Amino acid sequence: MTTTVNDMLRTYPADLGGVDREAMARCIEECVACAQACTACADACLSEGMVGDLTKCIRTDMDCADVCNATASVLSRHTGYDANITRAVLQACATVCKACADECGSHANMHEHCRVCAEACRSCEQACNDLLVSLD
């Protein structure tokens, strides 16, 4: 499937080296989707009657959205590439996605938005881990 991410990776004028373009594109797309899901979930949590019980969920959603957005940005820049920075960012993203998936998953039976968010987080965590493996 052609996506803007794939198109941009394909048109990059320099050689990307041994980077798995498919894994890179998937990871960028999953990070963007996860950031959106986490932002929407945090907002939905704020609309729940028991918002006080969802404080940790809201905080984790917001942290995850920020890290996912940053990861997508770092992965979208290739000039002056530093594999150590990329690995650290991917590890951080996978970590926060797991924490957010676990937190939202604990509310998934009561809040559909948390179920959807947990799924997006798990998918992003997997994409980050897959790209990490391909970088080694």
Side-chain angles (χ1 to χ4, degrees), residues 28-42 61-72 93 97 117 120-121 124:
I28 293 168
E29 290 167 351
E30 292 290 347
C31 284
V32 171
C34 188
Q36 187 281 325
C38 289
T39 299
C41 187
D61 281 336
M62 292 170 55
D63 288 348
C64 192
D66 287 345
V67 173
C68 286
N69 278 322
T71 301
C93 193
C97 284
C117 187
C121 290
C124 188

Side-chain angles (χ1 to χ4, degrees), residues 7-80:
D7 288 345
M8 290 306 296
L9 288 173
R10 185 180 41 75
T11 62
Y12 186 70
D15 181 17
L16 290 177
V19 174
D20 181 338
R21 287 177 189 241
E22 188 175 310
M24 176 77 77
R26 179 174 164 251
C27 192
I28 293 168
E29 290 167 351
E30 292 290 347
C31 284
V32 171
C34 188
Q36 187 281 325
C38 289
T39 299
C41 187
D43 184 66
C45 285
L46 289 170
S47 294
E48 294 289 350
M50 65 233 247
V51 68
D53 295 338
L54 297 170
T55 303
K56 184 176 180 189
C57 189
I58 295 165
R59 169 62 192 260
T60 306
D61 281 336
M62 292 170 55
D63 288 348
C64 192
D66 287 345
V67 173
C68 286
N69 278 322
T71 301
S73 293
V74 168
L75 294 179
S76 296
R77 295 188 289 262
H78 306 288
T79 304

